Amino acid sequence: MAQLEQFSTSVDTVVSRMRALDATLPEHDGIAVFNRVYLTVTEEVDRRLDAGQFPDPRAATALDVRFAERYLAAVDTAAADRRPPACWRPLFQLRRHPGVRPLQFALAGINAHIGHDLALAVVDACRTLGCEPADLEDEFERVGDLLVSLEERIREDLMPGPDLLQIADPLTHLVGSWSLERARDATWAAARALWALRHCGEVAEEFTDRLDAAVGLAGRMLLTPLPELI
């Protein structure tokens, strides 16, 4: 068995980072909108870990932490005036655009994190634990189910009310074009492919770059500025 990577970060640690971000970012900043959503997910994972609801808590912790570290690394990269991964760039570039709605910010962040970061986090966690992606499938599905249920609540909370439905019709069509469940299925396939390619050098790097660019393109479309609601 290959030597395992060092792993000591707890879910509490990444929760603390996200809470610190929440306290410093302006409320309507696009990163702040996504951060609040993701903080809710991570706090729920932490609660379920404490309640013993994951059959393999070490695997669940490794996946959740490696997943969160990808997002936090993108935040740190942007804060240092460097280019974050392509999947995150649209959200950082448009985070203060007045024509982008909170629901768009939330879904664009989820798109970047699920479509790109989660696939790489599965590979990171496999290296951490010395296992195969199949060994993490249960944890992947449990976290994914939690995200799907949260996505439904996000759409309800951030979608304009029925009295604005006609005006908001472009938003309805835009956000209806993206599905977290489809993104999750594609991510699992990408994670398995990345694991199979892990010793293939340039091929693995090209696959990762293409995945990053494709997810970034979807994010840019989700962030299409819309007419101001009256």
Side-chain angles (χ1 to χ4, degrees), residues 11-12 42-54 57 61:
V11 177
D12 285 340
T42 310
E43 288 173 333
E44 180 62 17
V45 170
D46 197 23
R47 187 191 69 77
R48 295 187 185 190
L49 280 166
D50 290 343
Q53 295 182 19
F54 285 96
T61 298

Side-chain angles (χ1 to χ4, degrees), residues 42 100 141 192 203 206 210 216 227:
T42 310
V100 179
E141 291 297 333
R192 293 175 61 201
V203 176
E206 182 177 354
R210 297 292 183 182

Side-chain angles (χ1 to χ4, degrees), residues 30 33-34 37 91 101-111 154 158:
V33 173
F34 169 72
V37 169
L91 184 54
R101 309 293 168 226
L103 178 59
Q104 293 175 263
F105 288 135
L107 293 183
I110 294 172
N111 169 71
I154 292 166
L158 298 181

Side-chain angles (χ1 to χ4, degrees), residues 16-168:
S16 295
R17 280 288 317 275
M18 286 183 235
R19 286 175 178 163
L21 276 172
D22 186 53
T24 58
L25 292 173
E27 181 181 359
H28 300 294
D29 181 286
I31 300 300
V33 173
F34 169 72
N35 189 76
R36 288 193 294 271
V37 169
Y38 190 35
L39 175 58
T40 299
V41 172
T42 310
E43 288 173 333
E44 180 62 17
V45 170
D46 197 23
R47 187 191 69 77
R48 295 187 185 190
L49 280 166
D50 290 343
Q53 295 182 19
F54 285 96
D56 188 342
R58 185 167 183 266
T61 298
L63 180 59
D64 191 62
V65 169
R66 294 307 191 206
F67 188 29
E69 286 175 339
R70 290 271 171 186
Y71 158 62
L72 294 171
V75 171
D76 290 342
T77 298
D81 290 326
R82 291 181 285 115
R83 282 164 64 87
C87 62
W88 284 106
R89 282 175 212 155
L91 184 54
F92 282 101
Q93 290 167 353
L94 296 170
R95 62 193 291 182
R96 298 180 183 89
H97 196 296
V100 179
R101 309 293 168 226
L103 178 59
Q104 293 175 263
F105 288 135
L107 293 183
I110 294 172
N111 169 71
H113 205 36
I114 296 293
H116 174 265
D117 292 356
L118 184 54
L120 273 62
V122 169
V123 174
D124 294 341
C126 285
R127 288 177 172 147
T128 296
L129 300 168
C131 67
E132 300 283 326
D135 299 318
L136 294 178
E137 189 168 6
D138 285 346
E139 285 69 31
F140 179 93
E141 291 297 333
R142 285 172 181 266
V143 172
D145 288 345
L146 176 60
L147 285 162
V148 168
S149 65
L150 181 67
E151 184 205 15
E152 294 171 357
R153 197 170 80 206
I154 292 166
R155 289 178 185 266
E156 291 175 359
D157 291 348
L158 298 181
M159 200 69 181
D163 55 324
L164 292 175
L165 187 59
Q166 185 174 356
I167 297 175

